[in-house]
Amino acid sequence: MIGVLLRVGVLLAAFVVAVGAAIHLSAFATTAPDYAKFSLNRERGLTTIPGVIAGAIKLDGRSVMQFGLLLLIATPIARVMFSLIAFLHEKDWLYSFFTFIVLSALGFSLLAR
Amino acid sequence: MNTLEFSVLLFAVSGLAGFLGALTGLGGGVVLVPALTLFFGVDVKYAIGASLVSVIATSSGAAAAYVREGFSNIRVGMFLEIATSLGAIGGAYLAGVVTTSFIFIVFGIVLIYSAWLSFQRRHQEEHRSETPNRISKVLKLDGSYPAPDGSQISYCAEQPIWGFGVMGIAGVLSGLLGIGSGAVKVIGMDHVMSLPFKVSTTTSNFMIGVTAAASAGIYFSRGYIDPALATPVMLGVLGGSLIGARHLMDAKVKALRTVFALTIVALGVEMLYKGVMGGK
């Protein structure tokens, strides 16, 4: 069950980023890349979840890739959620609480500005 | 070099990193960040962002590959994950304020240490003491796993508080350097908490993905995850590690491990040197 979740998560993410890469490369294959210097907020749309989804709907290559990467980040988060449900089902309140802390940390990291 | 050539080369190098990382159990991240920064001239924070994403992919991919998780202990993993996920967030914030030189120097030390550890891997399953720790009993940090003959071997974690502390450090390193910190996690569970080796490695694999997700979120909202860089890296590492995991039992692997450990030492020295020289 957990194994299926992880496999589907990773394969789906890999598929989405591959599609995004194809769109991106079809447009920018011959331009020169520049990753030597980091510039903050160069593309605001790629640093928020709504921004990424909005770009992905328009089939912007970079946004589609970023959406796939977000799916990948969501995979372990989903796994922790399933653990929380399992601990709650077992009425193991201590571990439900522990898992909730971990889940909160993951949520904070993704949503904190 | 145009974007297509860059992406294909990146994919190939990441595939090699993932392959070797899976064979040695060190993970792709330890070679990926040095390769991206030293050979491709990528800014270290972009490199860390791309590496974190690939760490999540390999952790989830590997866990999906051996689903029969009779060995991993979900309670031990979740208890320690509190320390690693909070540490990872701290490490990700730390990466935002320290200099590139500092990151290079810490990375260099971790690389050399990891290589040293990979030379020291143990082969025997040694005797475990059966004295139950009081805190471990309360936290239910015990369990059993199937022995080759079909019987169950029970165990109980020792020194849970120390183990928790080591995991916090593993989390900080993961967030700061963009690596899975699998080696440090196994030390925490194997050496400090005296958990059986198979339990440590499989539980560590579960934790690596969650820890990386904790810091990846921060890197994402800061703009350190560039999709055009992270995509070929993630696909390459994932493919390479899946192939590597299938060749774990090959005879030639032992020699390869030595070569890989020496490569890591060389990368570590290079990272240290660059760090001391000011990250240039």
Side-chain angles (χ1 to χ4, degrees), chain B residues 3 19 22 34 47 49 66 128 137 144 155 178 198 217 224 240 256 273 275:
Chain B
T3 301
F19 179 72
Y66 41 74
R128 300 286 174 179
K137 273 287 167 209
S144 61
Y155 58 88
K198 275 182 180 162
Y224 294 147
L256 209 57
Y273 176 76

Side-chain angles (χ1 to χ4, degrees), chain A residues 1-4 6-7 10-11 13-15 17-18 21 24-25 28-43 46-49 52 61-63 65-66 68-70 72-73 75-77 79-80 83-84 87 90 92 94-95 98-99 101-102 105-106 108-113, chain B residues 1-7 10 41-46 53-54 56-57 59-61 63-65 67 69 72 74-76 78-79 81-82 85-86 89 93 138-141 205-206 209-211 213-232 234-235 238 280:
Chain A
M1 170 63 192
I2 294 280
V4 174
L6 293 174
R7 202 186 300 258
V10 172
L11 289 181
F15 175 74
V17 295
H24 180 69
L25 285 175
F28 296 102
T30 52
T31 54
D34 177 26
Y35 300 108
K37 202 70 207 135
F38 175 72
S39 57
L40 203 64
N41 291 335
R42 197 173 61 176
E43 290 168 89
L46 288 176
T47 61
T48 63
I49 296 172
V52 171
R62 289 172 66 82
S63 301
M65 285 190 277
Q66 197 78 323
L69 298 176
L70 281 178
L72 190 65
I73 296 174
T75 304
I77 300 179
R79 186 180 187 176
V80 173
S83 298
L84 178 59
F87 283 131
E90 287 176 33
D92 185 335
L94 178 66
Y95 271 89
F98 283 173
T99 310
I101 296 175
V102 174
L106 290 168
F108 166 81
S109 115
L110 203 54
L111 301 174
R113 290 284 91 211
Chain B
M1 191 162 46
N2 67 37
T3 301
L4 181 61
E5 291 161 353
F6 185 79
S7 303
L10 213 49
V42 173
D43 180 291
V44 71
K45 279 159 193 166
Y46 280 118
V53 166
S54 68
I56 300 174
S59 164
S60 303
V67 185
E69 288 185 26
S72 78
I74 191 82
R75 283 195 171 80
V76 170
M78 203 56 79
F79 168 66
E81 199 48 60
I82 298 172
S85 55
L86 295 178
I89 291 173
Y93 274 111
V138 173
L139 296 176
K140 289 177 273 192
L141 300 177
N205 188 68
F206 153 68
V210 180
T211 312
S215 31
I218 309 267
Y219 279 82
F220 164 72
S221 50
R222 292 235 173 138
Y224 294 147
I225 293 184
D226 186 296
L229 178 71
T231 292
M234 173 260 190
L235 290 175
L238 182 62
K280 287 289 144 211

Side-chain angles (χ1 to χ4, degrees), chain B residues 4-280:
Chain B
L4 181 61
E5 291 161 353
F6 185 79
S7 303
V8 170
L9 192 60
L10 213 49
F11 177 78
V13 169
S14 305
L16 189 64
F19 179 72
L20 293 173
L23 285 187
T24 52
L26 290 175
V30 288
V31 265
L32 205 57
V33 176
L36 289 178
T37 50
L38 298 174
F39 305 133
F40 287 92
V42 173
D43 180 291
V44 71
K45 279 159 193 166
Y46 280 118
I48 294 171
S51 175
L52 280 173
V53 166
S54 68
V55 166
I56 300 174
T58 41
S59 164
S60 303
Y66 41 74
V67 185
R68 307 160 274 111
E69 288 185 26
F71 294 111
S72 78
N73 186 318
I74 191 82
R75 283 195 171 80
V76 170
M78 203 56 79
F79 168 66
L80 298 174
E81 199 48 60
I82 298 172
T84 51
S85 55
L86 295 178
I89 291 173
Y93 274 111
L94 193 61
V97 292
V98 297
T99 61
T100 303
S101 301
F102 180 82
I103 295 178
F104 273 64
I105 291 169
V106 176
F107 214 119
I109 294 168
V110 169
L111 282 176
I112 293 166
Y113 185 65
S114 301
W116 181 69
L117 271 182
S118 77
F119 274 122
Q120 295 212 314
R121 62 176 53 237
R122 290 166 311 125
H123 298 285
Q124 80 288 10
E125 193 72 25
E126 71 294 333
H127 172 72
R128 300 286 174 179
S129 70
E130 286 290 319
T131 48
N133 179 294
R134 207 154 42 89
I135 300 169
S136 291
K137 273 287 167 209
V138 173
L139 296 176
K140 289 177 273 192
L141 300 177
D142 50 11
S144 61
Y145 66 95
D149 61 12
S151 65
Q152 292 282 319
I153 302 172
S154 59
Y155 58 88
C156 182
E158 292 170 25
Q159 312 186 83
I161 302 302
W162 279 105
F164 194 82
V166 172
M167 290 300 152
I169 296 169
V172 171
L173 288 176
S174 178
L176 178 67
L177 307 176
I179 58 177
S181 291
V184 185
K185 288 193 175 80
V186 174
I187 295 172
M189 285 186 271
D190 193 39
H191 294 226
V192 179
M193 299 174 78
S194 297
L195 291 167
F197 192 67
K198 275 182 180 162
V199 175
S200 306
T201 45
T202 50
T203 306
S204 159
N205 188 68
F206 153 68
M207 294 173 64
I208 285 170
V210 180
T211 312
S215 31
I218 309 267
Y219 279 82
F220 164 72
S221 50
R222 292 235 173 138
Y224 294 147
I225 293 184
D226 186 296
L229 178 71
T231 292
V233 168
M234 173 260 190
L235 290 175
V237 171
L238 182 62
S241 64
L242 289 179
I243 298 168
R246 274 163 209 217
H247 291 85
L248 268 178
M249 299 304 158
D250 284 8
K252 282 178 234 159
V253 165
K254 203 158 177 267
L256 209 57
R257 276 202 188 117
T258 312
V259 173
F260 187 59
L262 292 174
T263 312
I264 288 179
V265 171
L267 289 172
V269 171
E270 180 74 14
M271 291 294 270
L272 265 181
Y273 176 76
K274 289 240 175 179
V276 172
M277 298 307 280
K280 287 289 144 211

